[in-house]
Amino acid sequence: MSDRLRINRREFLQVLGAGSAGLTLGVFRLAPALAQDGSQVFKPNEFLSIDSDGTVTLWVARSEMGQGARTTVPMMVAEQLEADWEKIRIMPAVAHPSKYGSMSTGGSTTVRRGWEPLCKAGAAAREMLISAAAQIWAVDRAGCKAENGMVIHVPSGRKLGYGELAATAANLPVPAEVKLKDPKDYKIVGKQKMRLDTPEKLTGKAVFGFDFMLPGLAIAVIARPPVLGGKVKRWDDQAAGAIQGVKQVIEVSHGLAVVADSTWAALQGREKLVVEWDEGENAKLDSAAIRQYFIEKSKEPGKSARSEGDVAAALQTAVKRIEAQYEVPFISHSPMEPMNCVADVRSDRVEIWAPTQNPQSVQSMASELTGVAMEQVFVNTTLMGGGFGRRLMADYAEEAVELSKLLQAPVKVVWTREDDLQHGYFRPGSFHVLEGAVDAQNQPVVWKHRIAAPSISGQLYPQQPPRGNPDLVDGAAQLPYRISNLLVDYVMANTALPITWLRSVYNSANAFVNESFLDELAHAAGQDPLAFRLSLLPPDHRLRGVLQLAAEKAGWSEKLPRGKGRGIACHACFGSYAAHVAEVTVTRDGRLTLDRFLCAIDCGQAVHPEGIRQQMEGGVIFSLSVAMREAITVQNGGVVQQNFDTYEPLRIHEIPARIEVYIAENNLPPGGVGEPGVPPVAPALCNAIFAACGVRVRRLPVSENDLRWS
Amino acid sequence: MPQYTLNVNRKDHVVDVAADTPLLWVLRETLGLTGTKYGCGQGLCGSCTVLMDGEAVRSCSLAVADAAGKSIITIEGIAEEKDHPVVKAWLEEEVSQCGYCQPGQILSAIALLKQKANPTDAEIDEAMSGVLCRCGTYPRIRKAIHRAAQLKGGGQ
Ligand code: FES
Ligand code: FES
């Protein structure tokens, strides 16, 4: 390539870059398309490159935590690129503040936010490869088409592989506008594809954060205060230091770090430490008191999140009124891989290996903490053993950075299960007061929902008050039903217990309340819960389709004997619509069995159907686990639960005998998949319990309710 | 420190570690076999499951001294056997999500299939209830075990 061409190309790219600064996902914010070393690599944008041997490399900017990002992202790009699926290679993107747009993997965004830019990135490259072939053959490009990693000249049947075209394509301008494929021509999107991350996970070769090693890497565990927020007062590390392999005990922000040459030595060292703690302000923090605080808060005047009609007047004239109080506990994400992070902090360069859902926040945290410029902070996102929102926090990476800086050596900070359960950030608990009423025609005329709950943003970013409604009304303020007098209001009730986003965030609590109380209203109105919902949803609402689908597959209209019950619930969030039906048995002495669980999901264009099924099944089991028996409680300022004996997710013998997933087919823009399956689970379950035995569960987890009946 | 001879994945290794070191950490950090996972350290989650003389054991709760002289198989040892029917079934049923628990699941399933060539759902539940999966892959684990049983039967 001549120098002149190279310069032109760069100018072109700059112009393009400037013009598309508004494209926050940065597809066309381009690096030079041709590698400077003269190797024949075609790299039309940040997301993909094609080698001269035809290998297509895709940079995946979103974290793989089990939800399949490293498969769905390639599927979207490869479809438009007309790539040969066998020649795709995936590279986890190293954190960059802007190159890839947001890299944060939360809010079920990988597909729904990635869809447009990634499809366009693939399509732009495809068009350039077609142009390159037309140029080489000196033919009209209209006679050329791309297929399975090749460009074909249709009239003559000539073919050139993408690898052979890469060098020529690299010198072509990146088209500003591209046409996306017609969904009817899809060969990859919407088809079954084996997950690309699976094979190495079944051989032990996959490197999770916990597995990452460097030569001579020190390993540290931190002795943490028994009272949340407590500080080290004084300590004796004589016995700890005597453990073979323990190198050092050093005070850090979150406690006392025991640094060793192996995890086992570090753990034993921590056992032997004698620490006196300054308890700080939280010694009296206690779950019963937090609950009482929520209840008191719920009696204060609320701030309105949504108000329609005249609730007070309608309550006066209604024929039948019902009231109820609902509550959910704090819960833990408890991914199977506990928190951990490796950091190597030097004076002018920082490198981090973190199982993180938010590499960009790790990058800025590390830059701030060390004073090293952002460009010299390299954050590698490892595989992670589950995330569920916990890894959006940078706390554990901060510990590794702080410690590596102090030690002036690379270090891995590992958390035990106990650390993870006791020093995590939790899904907030909440308290809800509901009022509803039906008129003489058995139509619901009042819906009143008061929420008292801590705000995640309020606690994490106290300096930045929300512009609109705070997060804690998410899923409650969007009640989809047409009820003429409606008031959803809230009282923010922050506590000292750390909280963060957990799979579907406030939707999990608010959908439980919405859909349970709606069931109560249906029964008050003497109506079938499914028919009642359908009568209240606007005619074009996408929840209708999934409700009908789930109900039909469940055989909703068939009667069940006493002691068995079916419950239905639905919820829309993160761009998708889900409806679930639960079928349970409750014996007279109150034993509950989960017989069958169905979910119907409308997530628009299904990109990876098998992945969607996995997410729905997993979401159902995750939230059944939460609803059945999970709760984090606090006593004397510390979390009571310690390990999987006192915080025990559901095991294989406890899940429903049958779990069925139905995907509504359409080509609407894709919605989220990781979270939308979660919110309807608890209400479907509790509505089924009510149908089986007449006990209304208003306080989660279910295990704390007496389900005996006669 | 005492020396132990461990037979891991059909090879002898001499390791120099304290007698009470759990096998888990010896596998992961002394031998670099990180396919065996830490999940709880208390025998509660099964992520650390390996085979010892063909039986599923929790390596987090087994002192290295007690593993000496026994035959230990980890997920890496299973991978060495090309096309192992259980791994094959796991792939075909698309069991794995995050994958963290899966080595423990697979080794537990192998131990089960050795005892019972064609287990029922109830037998699967009983044998597999010690291995937690936070991603909720249980229904596929059941299916994959049935499939592996068929694959094994078909191969004989
Ligand atoms: S790590 Fe051994 S059982 Fe959990
Ligand atoms: S696959 Fe994630 S814990 Fe089992």
Side-chain angles (χ1 to χ4, degrees):
Chain A
M1 186 176 61
S2 75
D3 278 336
R4 188 161 160 70
L5 259 176
R6 204 174 283 163
I7 289 160
N8 280 347
R9 165 138 193 95
R10 247 188 248 142
E11 280 168 357
F12 172 79
L13 292 172
Q14 274 161 12
V15 171
L16 200 64
S20 60
L23 279 179
T24 47
L25 283 139
V27 185
F28 295 116
R29 215 177 298 145
L30 304 169
L34 197 61
Q36 299 298 307
D37 60 6
S39 63
Q40 315 227 300
V41 177
F42 169 46
K43 191 170 190 311
N45 52 53
E46 298 299 350
F47 296 109
L48 72 99
S49 78
I50 302 176
D51 278 294
S52 53
D53 67 357
T55 304
V56 177
T57 306
L58 301 179
W59 278 265
V60 180
R62 306 280 184 164
S63 307
E64 175 59 70
M65 48 191 175
Q67 87 288 29
R70 290 186 188 173
T71 303
T72 46
V73 166
M75 285 175 86
M76 294 186 280
V77 183
E79 177 67 68
Q80 297 293 334
L81 180 59
E82 296 286 357
D84 175 356
W85 185 250
E86 303 303 316
K87 291 209 168 144
I88 304 253
R89 194 171 59 123
I90 320 169
M91 292 287 289
V94 176
H96 188 279
S98 58
K99 252 191 198 178
Y100 309 98
S102 169
M103 297 174 74
S104 163
T105 312
S108 298
T109 45
T110 300
V111 171
R112 66 193 178 108
R113 298 258 191 276
W115 176 251
E116 202 187 315
L118 292 168
C119 287
K120 283 186 175 169
R126 175 195 72 214
E127 292 307 306
M128 293 167 78
L129 290 158
I130 293 176
S131 298
Q135 197 177 36
I136 291 169
W137 292 323
V139 299
D140 181 1
R141 77 185 295 290
C144 303
K145 65 169 189 183
E147 203 178 276
N148 202 30
M150 281 183 297
V151 177
I152 302 163
H153 182 233
V154 181
S156 67
R158 275 178 290 179
K159 290 176 186 173
L160 279 173
Y162 282 1
E164 299 164 282
L165 295 167
T168 311
N171 288 307
L172 297 174
V174 181
E177 279 302 323
V178 285
K179 204 168 157 274
L180 299 183
K181 289 176 67 174
D182 187 325
K184 75 172 172 20
D185 299 326
Y186 285 166
K187 298 185 197 103
I188 296 172
V189 164
K191 312 286 179 234
Q192 305 303 7
K193 284 282 165 220
M194 197 78 99
R195 284 178 64 138
L196 295 172
D197 60 330
T198 297
E200 62 164 13
K201 287 178 173 173
L202 306 187
T203 60
K205 296 271 179 319
V207 178
F208 294 83
F210 224 97
D211 306 329
F212 184 78
M213 281 306 278
L214 289 170
L217 185 66
I219 297 178
V221 294
I222 296 176
R224 299 165 192 279
V227 171
L228 295 171
K231 294 273 171 253
V232 177
K233 213 193 261 171
R234 57 182 84 84
W235 75 90
D236 176 355
D237 60 9
Q238 220 187 344
I243 301 278
Q244 190 149 20
V246 170
K247 301 207 250 196
Q248 200 174 347
V249 174
I250 180 168
E251 190 174 351
V252 290
S253 311
H254 292 167
L256 269 185
V258 180
V259 185
D261 58 14
S262 74
T263 307
W264 181 242
L267 288 171
Q268 281 189 304
R270 183 168 77 168
E271 285 286 301
K272 294 272 166 17
L273 272 184
V274 184
V275 193
E276 198 181 318
W277 299 94
D278 176 353
E279 293 187 333
E281 297 167 1
N282 296 327
K284 293 213 167 64
L285 197 68
D286 169 279
S287 283
I290 290 175
R291 175 167 187 251
Q292 203 47 48
Y293 169 69
F294 287 168
I295 293 174
E296 292 312 319
K297 279 297 213 184
S298 76
K299 295 174 188 158
E300 290 180 7
K303 283 197 184 145
S304 168
R306 178 174 164 197
S307 169
E308 283 156 26
D310 187 340
V311 166
L315 278 172
Q316 294 294 319
T317 55
V319 188
K320 206 185 273 175
R321 293 168 54 165
I322 56 170
E323 287 179 20
Q325 296 176 340
Y326 280 82
E327 55 192 298
V328 305
F330 289 80
I331 57 167
S332 157
H333 309 75
S334 293
M336 285 310 296
E337 178 198 19
M339 301 304 109
N340 63 83
C341 181
V342 173
D344 182 1
V345 176
R346 317 218 170 162
S347 58
D348 55 351
R349 188 183 195 279
V350 177
E351 186 151 16
I352 294 168
W353 292 265
T356 174
Q357 292 176 246
N358 197 349
Q360 289 163 326
S361 79
V362 172
Q363 189 184 27
S364 51
M365 169 279 293
S367 173
E368 221 163 275
L369 215 65
T370 59
V372 173
M374 285 283 272
E375 307 78 73
Q376 291 307 312
V377 178
F378 302 90
V379 180
N380 307 282
T381 304
T382 63
L383 284 173
M384 55 203 86
F388 315 117
R390 173 64 182 90
R391 299 185 210 270
L392 287 164
M393 306 304 294
D395 57 320
Y396 53 98
E398 199 173 326
E399 293 178 345
V401 171
E402 181 190 16
L403 194 54
S404 175
K405 192 179 164 203
L406 284 170
L407 299 172
Q408 301 188 329
V411 68
K412 167 150 74 172
V413 169
V414 304
W415 290 41
T416 58
R417 178 57 53 195
E418 288 84 357
D419 292 333
D420 193 65
L421 267 166
Q422 304 207 292
H423 299 272
Y425 290 78
F426 306 104
R427 191 275 311 263
S430 52
F431 188 82
H432 307 250
V433 182
L434 279 293
E435 275 181 83
V438 292
D439 66 9
Q441 285 74 47
N442 276 330
Q443 286 303 305
V445 285
V446 173
W447 178 274
K448 195 165 169 240
H449 182 180
R450 156 75 50 88
I451 304 166
S455 162
I456 296 167
S457 327
Q459 285 194 206
L460 291 178
Y461 318 108
Q463 317 309 348
Q464 303 167 23
R467 258 178 280 149
N469 284 330
D471 48 9
L472 60 96
V473 301
D474 286 351
Q478 298 83 353
L479 188 83
Y481 305 109
R482 290 185 302 192
I483 299 176
S484 40
N485 305 288
L486 179 148
L487 177 65
V488 178
D489 64 2
Y490 65 93
V491 183
M492 198 183 287
N494 294 347
T495 77
L497 200 51
I499 52 175
T500 195
W501 308 281
L502 184 148
R503 203 171 186 177
S504 87
V505 203
Y506 287 97
N507 288 285
S508 62
N510 287 330
F512 165 62
V513 176
N514 287 350
E515 289 293 302
S516 297
F517 192 64
L518 196 90
D519 222 63
E520 294 202 52
L521 261 183
H523 289 286
Q527 291 197 41
D528 170 74
L530 169 66
F532 190 65
R533 282 173 171 80
L534 291 172
S535 75
L536 296 174
L537 284 169
D540 55 350
H541 204 288
R542 283 165 73 185
L543 280 174
R544 301 181 74 89
V546 283
L547 276 170
Q548 279 158 333
L549 179 58
E552 180 211 321
K553 299 289 181 188
W556 180 258
S557 49
E558 288 160 34
K559 289 273 160 291
L560 290 171
R562 191 100 210 273
K564 282 190 181 292
R566 241 182 241 121
I568 194 162
C570 62
H571 191 70
C573 56
F574 306 100
S576 293
Y577 303 79
H580 297 350
V581 174
E583 224 177 89
V584 305
T585 305
V586 184
T587 58
R588 276 176 205 278
D589 58 355
R591 267 182 304 120
L592 168 67
T593 346
L594 311 173
D595 300 324
R596 188 179 174 204
F597 210 98
L598 299 94
C599 45
I601 174 88
D602 171 358
C603 55
Q605 171 70 56
V607 173
H608 183 210
E610 197 60 20
I612 296 169
R613 266 177 225 118
Q614 283 187 326
Q615 284 307 295
M616 291 303 123
E617 292 165 10
V620 165
I621 292 167
F622 184 94
S623 18
L624 279 174
S625 184
V626 166
M628 292 284 282
R629 64 165 173 243
E630 291 183 26
I632 285 289
T633 53
V634 190
Q635 231 170 45
N636 303 324
V639 171
V640 175
Q641 291 68 32
Q642 300 200 343
N643 206 317
F644 289 136
D645 45 356
T646 40
Y647 195 91
E648 189 180 16
L650 285 192
R651 295 178 180 275
I652 193 168
H653 62 283
E654 299 170 299
I655 63 160
R658 288 158 70 191
I659 298 179
E660 299 161 37
V661 177
Y662 301 95
I663 303 172
E665 284 182 33
N666 61 59
N667 299 118
L668 293 165
V673 165
E675 294 167 282
V678 166
V681 172
L685 168 68
C686 295
N687 293 342
I689 292 172
F690 179 80
C693 67
V695 177
R696 177 59 67 182
V697 173
R698 299 192 183 92
R699 184 178 179 182
L700 292 178
V702 172
S703 59
E704 280 170 24
N705 292 261
D706 183 354
L707 302 183
R708 281 175 300 181
W709 58 279
S710 51
Chain B
M1 261 190 291
Q3 282 199 342
Y4 298 96
T5 302
L6 287 180
N7 187 278
V8 180
N9 300 333
R10 307 163 201 95
K11 270 186 224 94
D12 279 344
H13 301 263
V14 179
V15 296
D16 232 337
V17 290
D20 61 352
T21 311
L23 177 64
L24 170 68
W25 301 112
V26 179
L27 291 171
R28 288 180 55 82
E29 294 177 5
T30 314
L31 302 179
L33 298 170
T34 54
T36 307
K37 305 300 185 198
Y38 166 87
C40 71
Q42 301 286 342
L44 300 166
C45 76
S47 293
C48 63
T49 304
V50 298
L51 299 180
M52 184 162 82
D53 290 342
E55 273 180 47
V57 295
R58 308 282 182 249
S59 65
C60 71
S61 310
L62 183 78
V64 64
D66 296 328
K70 308 272 170 56
S71 153
I72 306 293
I73 300 286
T74 71
I75 191 71
E76 289 89 346
I78 299 301
E80 284 167 13
E81 291 175 44
K82 235 174 107 19
D83 283 335
H84 191 287
V86 174
V87 176
K88 203 158 173 264
W90 241 250
L91 278 168
E92 287 170 0
E93 291 294 342
E94 291 264 26
V95 175
S96 174
Q97 288 190 35
C98 82
Y100 196 80
C101 73
Q102 298 302 339
Q105 307 280 9
I106 289 174
L107 288 156
S108 304
I110 291 172
L112 163 66
L113 287 166
K114 224 169 139 189
Q115 305 260 307
K116 298 205 167 72
N118 215 342
T120 62
D121 273 352
E123 286 166 339
I124 291 174
D125 281 5
E126 198 188 322
M128 301 297 292
S129 68
V131 196
L132 284 172
C133 174
R134 189 58 159 164
C135 297
T137 64
Y138 301 133
R140 287 169 191 257
I141 289 172
R142 280 190 196 139
K143 281 194 208 153
I145 292 176
H146 289 306
R147 184 186 282 258
Q150 276 172 11
L151 287 172
K152 281 182 106 173
Q156 272 161 12

